[in-house]
Amino acid sequence: DIVMTQSPDSLAVSLGERATINCKSSQSVLYSSNNKNYLAWYQQKPGQPPKLLIYWASTRESGVPDRFSGSGSGTDFTLTISSLQAEDVAVYYCQQYYSTPLNSFGQGTKLEIK
Amino acid sequence: EVQLVESGGGLVQPGGSLRLSCAASGFTFSSYAMSWVRQAPGKGLEWVSAISGSGGSTYYADSVKGRFTISRDNSKNTLYLQMNSLRAEDTAVYYCAKDPFDAYCSGGSCYFWYFQHWGQGTLVTVSS
């Protein structure tokens, strides 16, 4: 099974500053036949279900602000919020869907305002 | 607009059973794979089970295999999760989630995707 590990577990960033969350998979989630990374990012605000932000490691879901971006390939990925807004306070999860149906999530990173 | 509305959660004793439902609207239900994902109180996300659009292929996490059964009624646009032999560690909010496509099935195995849409969840509490 592919294990997803996020870092840090929690993060405090000042408003307007950059926030960076890392996700590492125990094996590559890059599918060589189509050169796509099977990696998604979700945002979960308190009391709400998760919301899809990014898929294929770097494709922003429709309606997601462009301050959110995803990067990386193979086993190492990053979610970046370029200029933190108050409404971005949430827990963020990465998920691999390379080895579905046994897909797996990272443990989550809690993002707060400094 | 895609809508997923879960129901059926509640308090149940250890060893008991519960059936969750997820009513879907706003899309052609039978054309999409669906999953159940749960979240224990204060914990992270755990995939539980997945089903292809036709309902012909089903998959389970090891933690629920043999106890839970996923199914769907495409004529009613509804996804189900039958949960038997419930344990305290099954206590969680259960979300139904929609894939962006149907499962890709080849060589006897099916492959699923990320979760594009989520319901609001239903709380299952297993306690005596």
Side-chain angles (χ1 to χ4, degrees):
Chain A
D1 295 0
I2 298 179
V3 177
M4 308 300 290
T5 304
Q6 293 180 226
S7 62
D9 289 333
S10 62
L11 179 64
V13 175
S14 300
L15 290 173
E17 295 299 306
R18 178 186 300 261
T20 301
I21 299 170
N22 301 300
C23 175
K24 189 175 184 67
S25 57
S26 59
Q27 64 188 74
S28 177
V29 298
L30 173 62
Y31 193 40
S32 57
S33 67
N34 59 10
N35 202 37
K36 286 182 178 288
N37 286 283
Y38 284 52
L39 189 286
W41 288 96
Y42 301 87
Q43 174 193 63
Q44 187 177 33
K45 297 181 179 179
Q48 295 186 18
K51 172 189 174 184
L52 175 67
L53 295 177
I54 303 281
Y55 55 96
W56 302 128
S58 61
T59 302
R60 204 178 301 116
E61 172 70 340
S62 175
V64 173
D66 60 7
R67 64 180 180 273
F68 290 91
S69 63
S71 62
S73 184
T75 61
D76 293 279
F77 300 90
T78 300
L79 174 70
T80 301
I81 307 172
S82 60
S83 177
L84 189 71
Q85 305 299 303
E87 61 264 33
D88 300 335
V89 169
V91 178
Y92 292 84
Y93 295 93
C94 62
Q95 176 224 351
Q96 66 80 18
Y97 47 103
Y98 180 89
S99 68
T100 63
L102 300 179
N103 61 71
S104 46
F105 294 91
Q107 80 276 17
T109 295
K110 185 175 185 179
L111 177 59
E112 299 173 313
I113 304 294
K114 185 187 290 183
Chain B
E1 179 193 2
V2 171
Q3 287 199 356
L4 301 170
V5 180
E6 301 94 337
S7 61
L11 175 63
V12 61
Q13 292 187 337
S17 298
L18 215 52
R19 188 199 200 198
L20 306 184
S21 299
C22 172
S25 61
F27 62 101
T28 304
F29 184 64
S30 59
S31 296
Y32 295 88
M34 300 289 295
S35 290
W36 288 97
V37 177
R38 68 184 180 184
Q39 186 170 36
K43 302 297 185 183
L45 301 169
E46 179 190 16
W47 171 78
V48 172
S49 184
I51 188 168
S52 61
S54 68
S57 296
T58 58
Y59 296 87
Y60 302 91
D62 287 346
S63 57
V64 306
K65 199 173 295 182
R67 301 187 298 122
F68 290 12
T69 302
I70 191 172
S71 62
R72 62 193 298 161
D73 186 335
N74 287 342
S75 69
K76 295 182 178 179
N77 291 347
T78 303
L79 175 72
Y80 302 101
L81 186 67
Q82 177 67 45
M83 304 186 296
N84 299 330
S85 302
L86 282 161
R87 306 166 179 167
E89 54 265 34
D90 296 318
T91 294
V93 173
Y94 285 73
Y95 297 103
C96 70
K98 170 188 166 291
D99 282 25
F101 320 105
D102 197 358
Y104 169 72
C105 298
S106 175
S109 295
C110 290
Y111 303 90
F112 294 75
W113 312 97
Y114 50 90
F115 304 119
Q116 190 175 35
H117 297 98
W118 298 68
Q120 288 296 314
T122 186
L123 176 63
V124 173
T125 303
V126 183
S127 175
S128 54

